[in-house]
Amino acid sequence: MTDSEARRAGTAGPEASEAPEASEVATPGPVAPGPVASGAAPALTPQVLEIASGYAFPGPALDLGALLWDGRCLPDAQIRIPLGMLNRHGLVAGATGTGKTKTLQLVAEQLSAQGVPVFLADVKGDVSGISAPGQVNDKVRARASEVRQEWTPAGFPCEFYALGGMGHGIPVRATVTSFGPVLLSKVLRLNQTQEQSLGLIFHYADQKGLELVDLKDLRAVVTFLTSDEGRSELKGIGGLSTATAGVILRSLTAFEAQGMSPFFGEPEFDTNELLKVAADGRGTVSILELPAVQDKPQLFSTFLMWLLADLFHDLPEVGDLDKPKLVFFFDEAHLLFDDASRAFLDSITQTVRLIRSKGVGIFFVTQTPKDVPADVLAQLGNRVQHALRAFTPDDQKALKATVKTFPDSPYDLEEVLTALGTGEAVVTVLSEKGAPTPVAATRLRAPESLMGPVDPAVLDRAVEQSPLHARYALAVDRESAYEKLRAADADADAAREAGAKPGKGAGGGRARKAEEEDPSVVQQVMGSGVFKSLARSLGTQIGREITRSVFGTARRRR
């Protein structure tokens, strides 16, 4: 019998347990770390058996750990998540230092082992160890013994990325066009009116074939549309006020001054890279290294939303699968929702709701459930809640609010959640039938990979040896809106010079009259060879007419 089969047998019910049936019922109380009872395993009470039976899934599952009950760890009662339910999304929450990162590592390892690609945002820079085998020590041995885990050191196939190449990893870039006006407005902290104006600017650029590859392209288009020559271009659809354009330009300037330019450009990252499986059949773990941008939380949280929105835009509908195509862990999730507009939150809710049918699971990682809007929280079927602190009145309110988000339970969750130790959590997931499982306080397993970062030199070597390095490492600055508008300006200047003929008297009057009858600068520009070429290329150069998602993101057809 395999270890997995043995664990399933241990949770199948009273007849499968090696321990005799218990006649007495233990009173649930606060769960605190405690030693494993020596000798025979403790008898499983009817309440424990009821909880354990809720996790005895017949199909493939991820093993989280062993049930905690009345201060004891019960290895016969294993707590698991059905693999097919990982696309129903989830929440990993808990105070700082309670073990959230190790939980992500534990889940990511098992997903990879079962052929599911994983995306992890590494905000603190300590998840890279998943690529290297773990190191055995007394703590690991003790934890494995407590939860009946056959611990074997193992590393997993990884790709390392960095936003714009800032830090260790393959550069991840997006063009301004594909990032779209909605997400960019959040990064630039624009209000609703300014966001709408930015949307008009993108609409104009889309229609005219002006590709917004980097920030200087956007700046060039905004400048043109507020110039004497370009001001009339948007009159028919609302126009762009000089004041609003000024705000957008100042925000762009401040954004660039913070070193944000490298995130926008080409080659643009193809999010299909996140769906790859290694040659040995294990899912690739894609780790986005974020320590270099920790002081720019709005940027990295919004950039993660771009990755997710881009996947949503491109992936086909597949319904429920035996295992997800990708599981996406969204660390520091509260940053995404801070100061978000109602429209932005609606877009997130819609994406989370619909991407499930495309085979993608999303886990939001944050401190308390209240960090996530109720409409989004309602979509998260799997919950791993680590310990919470209740030192202040606000902490106590957050604790009570967290308890209310769980199903009815025999535990006193207010006491349990404040007594959990590091590497322990309260769990409820969706069964293979889609029903919530009983609430289970759990002592979690130990990750089998390195619980800490790998050496930077080792990480750099892995990045350089990746086949993706040659594709994305070197930035490219090709002809786009900035260059095209400059060329059009040059054509317009040449046209004006050619039409201006000096003269005196009647001849001078005729020259002035001819000059007055000349087409406007905008007409000259739009009639120039450059813009005629742009018009002809709309069907080929930018991938036919641009369509945008609920986030305003756009991608060329692949």
Side-chain angles (χ1 to χ4, degrees):
M1 180 180 290
T2 66
D3 181 41
S4 177
E5 290 169 341
R7 286 192 297 269
R8 285 197 290 273
T11 60
E15 68 278 8
S17 174
E18 295 179 1
E21 290 187 22
S23 58
E24 71 274 12
V25 177
T27 301
V31 178
V36 180
S38 60
L44 303 185
T45 69
Q47 285 173 299
V48 170
L49 290 171
E50 182 180 355
I51 295 173
S53 65
Y55 292 87
F57 312 119
L62 308 185
D63 296 306
L64 293 180
L67 182 71
L68 286 169
W69 183 264
D70 199 23
R72 297 178 300 174
C73 181
L74 307 177
D76 283 329
Q78 291 288 314
I79 306 304
R80 312 161 74 226
I81 304 179
L83 185 61
M85 290 292 109
L86 268 294
N87 72 329
R88 301 299 179 94
H89 312 318
L91 176 74
V92 178
T96 301
T98 56
K100 296 192 299 294
T101 301
K102 300 311 169 211
T103 298
L104 302 190
Q105 193 167 340
L106 174 67
V107 173
E109 288 177 353
Q110 295 187 59
L111 286 168
S112 173
Q114 300 203 50
V116 178
V118 177
F119 174 88
L120 289 174
D122 188 7
V123 176
K124 297 183 290 292
D126 56 1
V127 182
S128 59
I130 198 172
S131 63
Q135 298 174 349
V136 67
N137 55 42
D138 291 343
K139 288 184 177 180
V140 169
R141 289 193 190 96
R143 179 56 62 98
S145 174
E146 290 169 359
V147 300
R148 196 174 290 164
Q149 174 186 8
E150 290 187 6
W151 190 91
T152 304
F156 296 83
C158 292
E159 290 285 0
F160 298 96
Y161 300 99
L163 287 184
M166 291 182 65
H168 304 277
I170 295 162
V172 175
R173 304 181 186 90
T175 64
V176 172
T177 285
S178 72
F179 202 75
V182 178
L183 292 177
L184 189 60
S185 293
K186 188 172 192 302
V187 171
L188 297 178
R189 297 178 178 271
L190 303 182
N191 64 29
Q192 184 177 2
T193 300
Q194 293 154 1
E195 178 182 328
Q196 291 170 347
S197 295
L198 188 61
L200 284 178
I201 294 166
F202 271 75
H203 172 75
Y204 174 80
D206 290 350
Q207 294 298 310
K208 297 300 181 182
L210 295 172
E211 292 179 281
L212 305 176
V213 173
D214 50 29
L215 295 179
K216 73 176 186 297
D217 291 323
L218 180 57
R219 182 190 302 280
V221 173
V222 175
T223 302
F224 170 71
L225 291 174
T226 53
S227 67
D228 292 339
E229 294 88 350
R231 190 172 289 118
S232 62
E233 292 295 298
L234 295 181
K235 278 187 177 178
I237 52 175
L240 176 66
S241 74
T242 303
T244 299
V247 171
I248 294 172
L249 289 173
R250 287 193 296 275
S251 297
L252 284 172
T253 300
F255 192 60
E256 290 176 292
Q258 295 172 20
M260 300 296 101
S261 295
F263 302 114
F264 295 95
E266 290 182 323
E268 183 173 60
F269 183 69
D270 184 348
T271 51
N272 280 325
E273 310 284 8
L274 304 179
L275 304 174
K276 290 186 175 179
V277 175
D280 61 4
R282 292 184 297 172
T284 299
V285 181
S286 299
I287 300 175
L288 183 65
E289 296 281 323
L290 293 169
V293 292
Q294 276 189 337
D295 59 338
K296 305 170 183 68
Q298 285 279 348
L299 174 70
F300 76 68
S301 65
T302 309
F303 223 98
L304 292 183
M305 200 65 232
W306 170 77
L307 289 174
L308 192 60
D310 190 72
L311 284 165
F312 176 79
H313 190 264
D314 282 358
L315 288 175
E317 296 279 340
V318 293
D320 289 325
L321 302 173
D322 292 336
K323 61 182 181 182
K325 287 186 174 182
L326 173 72
V327 177
F328 192 103
F329 289 92
F330 209 128
D331 203 3
E332 300 293 342
H334 65 280
L335 298 170
L336 181 67
F337 304 111
D338 288 349
D339 302 321
S341 67
R342 183 69 253 174
F344 187 81
L345 293 176
D346 288 344
S347 297
I348 292 176
T349 304
Q350 183 176 354
T351 301
V352 171
R353 182 183 296 119
L354 298 179
I355 204 169
R356 176 192 67 78
S357 64
K358 301 194 174 192
V360 176
I362 307 166
F363 274 69
F364 292 98
V365 185
T366 188
Q367 294 205 2
T368 70
K370 72 180 183 62
D371 294 335
V372 180
D375 289 344
V376 176
L377 191 63
Q379 306 298 318
L380 311 183
N382 302 296
R383 300 278 301 281
V384 180
Q385 176 68 58
H386 287 265
L388 290 174
R389 310 302 180 211
F391 300 141
T392 69
D394 286 343
D395 290 343
Q396 291 169 357
K397 288 180 182 178
L399 175 62
K400 291 181 182 295
T402 298
V403 169
K404 290 178 180 178
T405 64
F406 280 91
D408 291 340
S409 163
Y411 292 98
D412 183 343
L413 286 180
E414 285 193 34
E415 290 190 42
V416 169
L417 287 172
T418 55
L420 290 170
T422 301
E424 296 176 348
V426 171
V427 174
T428 180
V429 302
L430 293 181
S431 71
E432 74 279 5
K433 297 179 180 179
T437 58
V439 175
T442 307
R443 183 162 293 162
L444 300 169
R445 292 179 163 228
E448 295 182 340
S449 56
L450 183 65
M451 289 191 279
V454 298
D455 185 87
V458 174
L459 197 155
D460 286 337
R461 190 157 54 249
V463 170
E464 291 169 2
Q465 292 173 353
S466 168
L468 300 179
H469 186 264
R471 191 178 308 168
Y472 295 109
L474 186 63
V476 176
D477 187 12
R478 64 180 176 85
E479 184 184 60
S480 49
Y482 173 78
E483 290 80 11
K484 291 171 183 177
L485 286 171
R486 289 191 66 181
D489 264 348
D491 283 357
D493 289 341
R496 280 197 301 270
E497 289 177 5
K501 296 181 180 180
K504 293 183 179 180
R510 284 193 300 273
R512 283 192 298 275
K513 183 177 179 182
E515 187 174 331
E516 290 170 0
E517 292 174 353
D518 276 347
S520 71
V521 173
V522 172
Q523 290 172 320
Q524 292 173 14
V525 171
M526 295 306 167
S528 70
V530 174
F531 273 82
K532 287 179 180 178
S533 175
L534 287 177
R536 287 194 300 270
S537 68
L538 275 175
T540 57
Q541 188 177 3
I542 61 172
R544 301 177 178 84
E545 185 176 357
I546 291 177
T547 57
R548 295 192 176 275
S549 71
V550 292
F551 278 103
T553 58
R555 294 290 284 182
R556 302 179 192 183
R557 296 182 183 276
R558 298 190 183 109

